Structure formats: C-alpha cells, structure tokens
Amino acid sequence: MQKNNTIYHLYLRYLIIMISNKFNKRYITFIISLIACQMVFAQTFKLKGRVVDEEHNPIELATVSCVEQGKVTMTNLKGEFEITLNSKDSVVVKFSMVGYNARKRTYRNAKGNLNVEVMLPSMAALGEVVVTERRRQTTGTERLDIKDVKGVASTTGNAVEELIQQQAGVSTHSELSSQYNVRGGSFDENAVYINNIEVYRPLLVRSGQQEGLSIINPDMVESIGFSTGGFESKYGEKMSSVLDINYKKVNKFEANLQASLLGGSAYVGYGNKKFSMSHGIRYKTNRYLLGSLETKGEYKPNFLDYQTYISYSPNERWTIDFIGNISENHYNFKPTDRETSFGTMEDVKSFKVYFDGQEKDIFRTLFGALSIKRNFSANTSLSLIASAFHTKEQETYDIQGEYWLDDTETQEQLGVGTYMEHARNYLTADVQSYKLIFKHKVKRHDIEGGLTYKHEKIKENSKEYEMRDSSGYSIPHSPDRLDLIYSMTSLNRMSSNRIEGYLMDTYRFGSGSENQTLYTLNYGLRFSNWSYNKETTVSPRASLAIIPAFNQNMTFRFAAGLYYQAPFYKELRDTITTNRITKVKLNNKIKSQQSIHFVAAFDYRFKMREHPYRFTAEAYYKALDNLIPYNINNVKVTYYGDNIAKGYAAGLDLKLYGEFVPGTDSWVTFSLMSTRQKINVKSIPMPTDQRWGINLHFTDYFPGTEKWKMTLKLAFADGLPFGAPHKGLEYQDFRAPAYKRADIGMSYRAYDNEDKKKNSVIKNIWLGLDCLNLFGINNVNSYYWVTDVTNQQYAVPNYLTGRQINCKLLFEF
C-alpha cells in the first residue's frame, strides 16, 4: 500500500504542474487518469484474520460474507480467512457457522490491510437452537440425528437399530429383529462401539422372537455415527459396517417415563460442570405382537435392561467415566397349533400342525467399562479404558408337532407326519479388554493412535436333534435302522488373546486461493494378532473428501482400504458328520475373511422452497476373499467353519434427506446391489443378496397444529435366496418374495411446557398411537420343509407379524 501512496503523490505533483501550464488537453487527460487511479487505490481494502470459539480454537469452514457487496469466503482449516472489499463509509461483514451464534462487524472508511480476530460464541447456552445447516461428511462415517427416532412406530424397542435399518445400503427382513445386513454382509460383520468400547451380542439367539433389548439405550445417546464402508482405521476387525455411539453428559436435571403395550422405560439424568450421571431402565414384552403370528400358543417373553453412565471431571486435566449394563432376557413359549395357507391362486395348499412341548431360553449379559482420560493440553490427551463383557446363555426346547398337508382344491391329503425338535444348548463367554488411546492435534493434523489387549474365554455345551416321521416313515428312511434328519453335539472350550493397534491421521488443507478448494485426507494403518490361530493382519486404509471452490455445496468423497473380519467363536465351529451324527470341533487353522473396499461418493446440499436438503450417492465395490460361507435361518447364522470361498459385492446407494415438511426431517433411500461367491467352482449369490431396496421415512404435522405429529415408515425390498435345510448353499435355488411393510405412528402433545412458562416439573406429555404393518401384508421370515407321500418337498412359509395397534404414553420432565 505504501507503493500505491507513492504513485498517488507523483500524480498529485503532475497535477500542480499541469494547472500551471494552462489546462491543455494533454493535462486534462492526466487529471482524469489521476482521479481513476485514486478510485482504484482508495476504494478497496483487504480484510483478513481468524475466526475462533470461546476457547480460541480455530473454527474451520466458517462463512465470512458482505451481503451488500455480494462477496463471501470461508475460513480454512486454521480458521483463517482473507477477503477484498470496497471501502465505504461503513461496511458490514457477517461471520457465521453452524452451531455458533453469528456476529456482525462494521468497518468505517477502512483502507489498506485490516487484521482481525472474531470470536463466535457457542449456541449451547442459548436455549432453543434452530439448526439451518448440518455438518458436512468428510470421512466414511455419516452423522445421524438422534431426534429422528423420537415418536417413530417401533416393534423391537431398539430405536437406534431401527434407524440404522432405514439407511441406504442396509437391509432387514424381520421387524422382530434389531439386526441388519450392510452391503451384502452378514449380521456378524457389523461393529458396534459405545464411547470407544466395542460391544457384543448374545451368541445363541436364533430367532427375532428371542431377541431382547439391545445394549444401546436411546434415552442416553448423544450422537450416532454410522458407516456402510470405507471407514477409518480406528474401527477394526469387522468388514461391513461400523455403528459408533456416544452417550451424553447431562448438565442439568432431565427425565422421562414411557409405557406402551410392548413395554416401558424410565430415564433420569443429573449433572453440573464437574459431575454427570444418567440411569435408564427398560422393560420389553412382545407377547402382544407375537400373538399375531400363525403359530398360536402361550408366549411369555420378558426382557429387562438397566444401564448407567457416570462421568466426573475434577478439573480440565482429568476425566473419569463409567458405563454399566445388566440385561436379563427370558423367552418362554408353549405352542398349541398352527394353520398356514400357501401356494398360488390356482394351487392352494393348507398346512396344519398341533403342538406339544415348550421352549425356555435365558440370555443374561453383564457389561462394564471404566475410562480414565488425561488432557495434557487442549490438543493432546491420553485415555485408558478397561472393559469386561459376560454372557450366560441357555436355549432349551422339546417341541413335537403332528402335521397335515392338504390340497384345498381337491381335499386330497398330500402328507401327514410328526416331527420332534430337541435342544439343550448352554454357552458362557467372557471378554476382558484394555485399551490405550492417544490423540494429538498439531496445525492441520488430527493424529490418533490406539493399542488394545483382549482376553476371550468361551465354553459351550450344546446338543440338538430333529426327528421327522412322514407318512409312517422316518426321514431319512433306512430299512435297517432309525435315523434322525439332523443331530448335532458340541462340547468345546476356547481361551485366546488378541492384540490390536492402529495409527491414523486426518489432514485438512486447502488450495491456498481466496475461494479455495478444501481437502480432508484420512489415512491410517491397523494391525491385529490372534493367539488362537497365530495370525497377524495389517490393513491400510485411506479416504479423501474434496469441497470444490466452484461450488462449496458439493463434496466428493473417495475411500479405499483393506478390511479383515477376524473370526470369533461362531466362525470357528467346523463339523464332522459320521452316520448322520454331527460333532462340532473348533478349527484353529481358520483365517480372517478379507474385503477390499472401493467407495466413490457425491454429496450435494441445496435448498428448495427455502428448505434445506442433502442428496447423497455412493457407488462401491468390495472384493472378498478367504470367505467362510454361512447359512441363515431366521437370524441364526451357521458357518461352514473353513475359508473355502471368494466373491464380490457391488452396488449403488442413493439418499435424499431434508425438510420435506418445514421443521421435520424425512428421507428416502434407494439401493441396488449384486453379490456373488464361488464355492467349489460354482458361483452363487450370497445369502444376503438383496438386489434392490427402497426405504421411506416421512414426518409431518397435522394441518393447522403442531400438537399432532405423524411418522410413516415404508420398506420395500427384494427377497433373499433360500433352499432346503441341512443342504449346502449350492442348492439354494429359490428366492423369497419381496419384503413389504408400512408402519405409521401418530403422536399428540397433550401437555406443553417446553418454554417453562407453567409452574410444573413436567415438560411434555405425549400420547401415541401406532399401527404396525398398516396394510396387513404377510411377509415371509423363513420356511419349514415338508415331504409328501411321493417324496416331493414343499416349502411352507413362516410368516411374520400381522397388523397390530400399539398405544404409548410419554412423560418428559
């Protein structure tokens, strides 16, 4: 700017000379050029500086705008910005960022270079916050909104998992189960973390009816991260998806009480600046829901769960957290009879069964974790986490059924017989884990590393058999002896150690120009060693997100990495069959399954009728090797026990998310997928080969009022491959019909004290009415196979729940 002032003074001296020389044309030209030069050099100034929060941490991607001049820029990853503006008597500049209170600054007669630092206060203490823009996704993990689970019609009581089941690339074919498949993977390929701690499910659960409450309590959740592939190195030993849950630290009193025909829950939390605690207890009974199944009888399911989360921070350097969970799940069932009609319009069959016997199952789990965190500075921390998981499971049943298979057109009796199912399955498992996490921020880098030691101890004692007597002949028929169609014995113990570690860096940088392109590069390495099979794996992973300068509402994301599915107990169970008696042994030669992910994604944020929307498209390809094939019956996954297959999964996931109705969140997803695996030179689809799927989550208010709220869930998905039981995957030549379901929930706010104007401890009272399976569609869960007198087999469908009404009452304090 000093150089510009020197030029200006030279022109001024010329002006004096020209005036003294009687204003000829040449001198007038110099005068005009002088005025123009003055306008150029005197009417612009450069504003630059930093945008920070209350703790003077830089705020990246904050917007710096001058509306009256139509100029805008964004801060870089250091919170720095630079913008050139025209100088006037007063120039108003606005600084804004999602989650922070916007600030305006007025600069009067500004000239030259101005360096400023602007502090944006957080909205956390402002009371009600209206979110107009959501955080960008710059890694493989998408952030979901916990408020999207509130007031939604639910069959399982596991609200978070039901939210996951509605995401693109995720499939489920049973409303009774909270488990899900992701991009062709099995139920066991999904990792779940709570506050950086990996959690486990019971191992013997074989049907959705047995499933109780998951370990995730939605009342205690603060944030949800979910990835369908290409996730970071800190998540390990699963090759399909990651669900990352963080529990909230409350800073005031809050509570709620809920009851419905399917159970109830109570939650209370209290906290201040140093101490926070929350407690949740849940009870579930799906007896009312199971009453709509075609198998009639006395259902007595009772599921109870208690959780606590306590956090104490004596100062800014130390934080101590504790999470505890006790879960007791009982499933008791005495079947009486069943009648199922199936076939086509021209060929209808009737299947009748009369039962005797009962089933009694118990799943008892305990989980606890203690975390100590030391903050060495605002940018450096070290955490030590110790956790323990214990499960004791018992599955026992003796059920006999006498059945008749008839042709309803001719009244011809096609088959008659008896079957007997017996099980005495007992399993206990203990997993202790010790984890060290180091985090450090330096300039544009977020560095994180971790080291974990796990000790696993599992004991199983299981005996199962199934007898079938069709038309007076035991199946399989042998003239000289009585054989069972299925018999299995497992008496195994396992003790092993695992060591896992990772190191990753998130590097954020820009192109350096005023309207710069922003990049987020995440790269890392993960390793694992298991003492049982003496295998060591190393998996590199990387992802890149690009926010282009030409349109900062767009984000391009790319990810690639090598992922391993470390075998757990179920994958180890190999079988040896002698004289139709199957014995289970553990295969200590088994290796980790392998998946190489390639993901390309595009996000676009836009507004329509002043309402925000986000469109996401993701294309992926997974090269699979060392696969352990498996069969699925209901939710029971039975593995071959050896690495004998390879294959691939490829597809496209689309999602449109936004305010379809002002003040609400809705979305629609569409997925296409193709999976294949090669077993014994034969190429077949994987058991989870859902070729297409559509999900809709729509929320609306009744016209003229916000007291009435409606949420609609629609699912329409391709059926899965299936075949006769106790045969290989090579014989799964059939495909189940498409899964179609609609659930609608209506909520009425009977009492509103959200603004605390009323002198009452009650904040809200909600009345809810849900219609489950609105259209009463008979969806198929699995099949029971019957043989007639001509040795022809029939697949009798086991239908899921019918149309049911559920009433709910919610008190919020």
Side-chain angles (χ1 to χ4, degrees):
M1 196 66 188
Q2 290 179 353
K3 181 179 179 181
N4 295 337
N5 289 334
T6 301
I7 296 173
Y8 174 72
H9 286 301
L10 289 175
Y11 270 93
L12 188 60
R13 292 179 62 186
Y14 263 108
L15 176 62
I16 296 172
I17 295 172
M18 287 183 290
I19 292 175
S20 63
N21 288 304
K22 300 183 180 180
F23 290 102
N24 61 33
K25 291 183 179 181
R26 195 170 81 180
Y27 301 144
I28 294 176
T29 303
F30 275 105
I31 293 174
I32 296 173
S33 65
L34 171 63
I35 296 173
C37 184
Q38 183 181 9
M39 293 177 62
V40 170
F41 294 122
Q43 290 186 351
T44 63
F45 70 98
K46 186 173 291 184
L47 181 68
K48 56 185 179 179
R50 296 174 73 235
V51 179
V52 298
D53 59 18
E54 294 103 328
E55 298 178 355
H56 289 275
N57 296 316
I59 300 178
E60 61 187 56
L61 304 181
T63 301
V64 181
S65 61
C66 180
V67 177
E68 62 181 2
Q69 297 186 21
K71 294 188 177 182
V72 62
T73 188
M74 299 181 74
T75 60
N76 62 18
L77 303 172
K78 294 181 178 181
E80 299 170 344
F81 71 93
E82 183 176 308
I83 187 171
T84 300
L85 300 172
N86 295 327
S87 180
K88 293 185 178 180
D89 290 341
S90 64
V91 177
V92 179
V93 180
K94 182 179 179 181
F95 303 85
S96 61
M97 178 60 185
V98 177
Y100 296 87
N101 196 23
R103 286 288 183 261
K104 290 184 178 180
R105 295 288 184 268
T106 302
Y107 302 98
R108 303 184 184 278
N109 298 318
K111 298 178 181 179
N113 293 333
L114 290 183
N115 289 289
V116 298
E117 182 176 276
V118 180
M119 188 270 289
L120 300 185
S122 171
M123 284 185 171
L126 297 180
E128 181 181 359
V129 178
V130 179
V131 178
T132 58
E133 184 178 308
R134 299 183 184 276
R135 182 178 179 179
R136 294 176 184 266
Q137 181 181 348
T138 55
T139 65
T141 303
E142 178 186 6
R143 293 294 164 185
L144 306 179
D145 199 334
I146 183 61
K147 73 180 182 62
D148 288 336
V149 308
K150 186 176 180 180
V152 178
S154 172
T155 54
T156 67
N158 300 315
V160 173
E161 285 86 348
E162 291 189 5
L163 175 65
I164 298 300
Q165 291 172 352
Q166 299 176 68
Q167 303 305 310
V170 183
S171 63
T172 181
H173 287 78
S174 174
E175 65 273 7
L176 293 173
S177 174
S178 62
Q179 301 195 54
Y180 49 87
N181 308 110
V182 177
R183 292 179 175 175
S186 73
F187 300 136
D188 299 323
E189 296 176 18
N190 306 312
V192 180
Y193 290 82
I194 298 179
N195 288 16
N196 293 314
I197 306 158
E198 187 174 6
V199 297
Y200 300 86
R201 292 177 178 269
L203 300 175
L204 289 183
V205 172
R206 60 182 173 84
S207 69
Q209 293 93 312
Q210 296 173 310
E211 278 194 30
L213 293 157
S214 79
I215 193 173
I216 304 172
N217 188 328
D219 290 327
M220 302 172 70
V221 173
E222 179 180 52
S223 65
I224 304 173
F226 182 63
S227 174
T228 53
F231 39 88
E232 302 96 310
S233 299
K234 66 178 179 179
Y235 305 119
E237 315 325 314
K238 301 291 183 182
M239 64 180 190
S240 282
S241 77
V242 169
L243 176 59
D244 189 3
I245 301 295
N246 281 299
Y247 277 178
K248 59 185 175 183
K249 297 180 181 180
V250 296
N251 53 18
K252 59 181 180 179
F253 173 79
E254 60 183 35
N256 65 56
L257 184 66
Q258 181 172 326
S260 75
L261 297 177
L262 300 178
S265 66
Y267 161 78
V268 61
Y270 172 77
N272 50 41
K273 290 184 178 181
K274 291 187 176 182
F275 178 76
S276 169
M277 68 173 181
S278 54
H279 306 272
I281 186 168
R282 296 177 293 166
Y283 172 74
K284 170 186 170 182
T285 174
N286 52 7
R287 180 177 183 180
Y288 169 68
L289 192 63
L290 298 179
S292 64
L293 297 175
E294 289 190 332
T295 300
K296 305 303 179 183
E298 186 179 351
Y299 291 92
K300 289 185 178 179
N302 297 286
F303 311 115
L304 186 65
D305 170 271
Y306 166 75
Q307 286 192 48
T308 182
Y309 175 42
I310 300 173
S311 180
Y312 176 59
S313 299
N315 50 52
E316 294 182 355
R317 292 176 296 174
W318 292 96
T319 301
I320 302 173
D321 292 341
F322 173 75
I323 297 178
N325 171 251
I326 301 174
S327 179
E328 182 90 6
N329 299 327
H330 293 256
Y331 178 72
N332 300 326
F333 175 43
K334 290 183 179 181
T336 56
D337 62 274
R338 164 187 175 172
E339 183 171 356
T340 303
S341 296
F342 65 99
T344 64
M345 294 291 291
E346 296 79 16
D347 185 17
V348 180
K349 303 292 188 297
S350 175
F351 180 66
K352 296 181 181 179
V353 188
Y354 293 96
F355 296 100
D356 188 22
Q358 63 178 334
E359 177 177 357
K360 288 188 175 181
D361 306 326
I362 300 175
F363 303 93
R364 182 180 294 117
T365 60
L366 305 173
F367 172 73
L370 179 66
S371 170
I372 301 175
K373 182 179 180 181
R374 174 69 159 92
N375 294 314
F376 296 99
S377 67
N379 298 321
T380 306
S381 66
L382 183 67
S383 301
L384 175 63
I385 304 172
S387 64
F389 169 80
H390 170 78
T391 179
K392 185 175 182 180
E393 305 173 24
Q394 169 186 311
E395 182 186 43
T396 62
Y397 55 83
D398 287 285
I399 297 177
Q400 177 179 307
E402 297 181 354
Y403 67 84
W404 289 262
L405 179 64
D406 300 324
D407 189 316
T408 59
E409 292 286 333
T410 64
Q411 301 302 316
E412 177 186 1
Q413 192 174 81
L414 301 176
V416 59
T418 301
Y419 68 88
M420 172 75 179
E421 295 178 342
H422 165 91
R424 293 292 184 272
N425 299 331
Y426 304 93
L427 183 143
T428 59
D430 293 277
V431 180
Q432 290 89 38
S433 174
Y434 304 92
K435 187 174 185 178
L436 199 65
I437 301 176
F438 174 77
K439 295 182 179 181
H440 179 63
K441 293 183 179 181
V442 52
K443 295 184 179 180
R444 302 178 180 182
H445 296 267
D446 289 352
I447 302 171
E448 181 177 337
L451 186 65
T452 305
Y453 169 78
K454 294 180 182 178
H455 176 67
E456 303 161 349
K457 189 176 181 180
I458 301 174
K459 181 173 65 174
E460 181 193 16
N461 184 2
S462 298
K463 293 182 180 179
E464 297 179 1
Y465 68 78
E466 180 181 350
M467 183 274 292
R468 290 191 189 179
D469 183 355
S470 180
S471 301
Y473 292 94
S474 177
I475 299 176
H477 178 64
S478 179
D480 56 350
R481 68 177 184 270
L482 180 65
D483 288 329
L484 300 174
I485 192 171
Y486 167 68
S487 174
M488 185 276 293
T489 300
S490 177
L491 182 60
N492 291 292
R493 287 172 172 79
M494 185 192 79
S495 180
S496 64
N497 301 312
R498 295 181 196 262
I499 297 177
E500 303 169 359
Y502 70 91
L503 181 63
M504 72 174 196
D505 176 30
T506 302
Y507 176 43
R508 300 178 174 91
F509 58 99
S511 60
S513 59
E514 183 173 318
N515 294 317
Q516 58 184 333
T517 298
L518 300 175
Y519 302 89
T520 301
L521 174 64
N522 178 277
Y523 57 97
L525 193 70
R526 186 175 186 89
F527 75 90
S528 174
N529 176 268
W530 192 27
S531 65
Y532 190 77
N533 63 357
K534 298 178 176 57
E535 180 189 30
T536 299
T537 61
V538 178
S539 55
R541 308 172 189 178
S543 67
L544 176 65
I546 304 172
I547 302 175
F550 62 83
N551 191 333
Q552 296 192 338
N553 288 318
M554 294 181 178
T555 305
F556 298 93
R557 293 183 285 110
F558 306 93
L562 176 59
Y563 296 82
Y564 287 97
Q565 174 78 20
F568 201 56
Y569 184 74
K570 288 197 294 184
E571 291 97 319
L572 299 177
R573 299 172 82 249
D574 199 359
T575 56
I576 298 176
T577 302
T578 306
N579 295 327
R580 295 192 177 276
I581 298 177
T582 301
K583 292 187 177 180
V584 176
K585 69 170 187 176
L586 301 184
N587 180 8
N588 62 359
K589 303 296 184 183
I590 202 164
K591 300 299 181 183
S592 297
Q593 301 179 84
Q594 185 185 103
S595 176
I596 302 177
H597 291 198
F598 300 96
V599 181
F602 170 74
D603 298 331
Y604 179 57
R605 303 182 307 168
F606 63 97
K607 285 191 175 183
M608 185 182 299
R609 297 181 179 178
E610 299 303 318
H611 301 153
Y613 290 87
R614 184 181 73 247
F615 173 74
T616 300
E618 286 195 9
Y620 62 91
Y621 179 85
K622 299 195 292 187
L624 309 173
D625 202 2
N626 278 345
L627 293 181
I628 307 171
Y630 57 88
N631 285 293
I632 300 178
N633 185 16
N634 203 317
V635 298
K636 182 179 181 181
V637 181
T638 304
Y639 289 90
Y640 277 42
D642 203 359
N643 306 91
I644 60 173
K646 62 180 180 179
Y648 73 87
L652 176 67
D653 294 330
L654 306 176
K655 180 179 179 181
L656 178 62
Y657 181 98
E659 292 188 7
F660 293 15
V661 174
T664 68
D665 292 331
S666 302
W667 65 87
V668 59
T669 69
F670 176 67
S671 298
L672 294 172
M673 183 179 68
S674 173
T675 68
R676 305 293 292 185
Q677 63 179 340
K678 185 178 288 187
I679 306 175
N680 299 327
V681 194
K682 185 175 182 180
S683 179
I684 59 174
M686 301 187 73
T688 54
D689 183 50
Q690 179 182 285
R691 296 171 297 186
W692 51 267
I694 302 172
N695 283 285
L696 172 67
H697 181 108
F698 179 71
T699 305
D700 194 5
Y701 290 103
F702 279 52
T705 179
E706 292 189 357
K707 288 189 174 184
W708 282 97
K709 186 178 180 181
M710 182 276 296
T711 303
L712 175 66
K713 294 195 306 182
L714 296 177
F716 186 26
D718 184 31
L720 302 179
F722 74 96
H726 313 304
K727 291 189 176 182
L729 292 171
E730 302 92 331
Y731 301 97
Q732 290 195 347
D733 300 323
F734 308 98
R735 189 172 286 269
Y739 181 81
K740 295 167 284 188
R741 185 174 176 90
D743 296 325
I744 188 170
M746 290 176 287
S747 302
Y748 173 69
R749 190 188 300 217
Y751 181 83
D752 183 4
N753 191 26
E754 194 79 35
D755 53 9
K756 299 181 182 180
K757 292 183 178 180
K758 301 174 184 177
N759 187 20
S760 173
V761 70
I762 300 177
K763 183 169 69 173
N764 288 305
I765 299 178
W766 289 91
L767 305 177
L769 183 66
D770 298 341
C771 184
L772 308 173
N773 196 357
L774 178 64
F775 302 118
I777 298 172
N778 289 327
N779 288 303
V780 178
N781 185 31
S782 59
Y783 290 87
Y784 183 78
W785 290 78
V786 179
T787 305
D788 67 8
V789 293
T790 63
N791 205 31
Q792 181 176 349
Q793 286 188 313
Y794 294 88
V796 182
N798 297 317
Y799 291 116
L800 288 162
T801 58
R803 183 188 295 112
Q804 293 287 88
I805 300 295
N806 183 32
C807 301
K808 299 185 294 185
L809 177 63
L810 172 64
F811 290 86
E812 294 179 330
F813 303 95

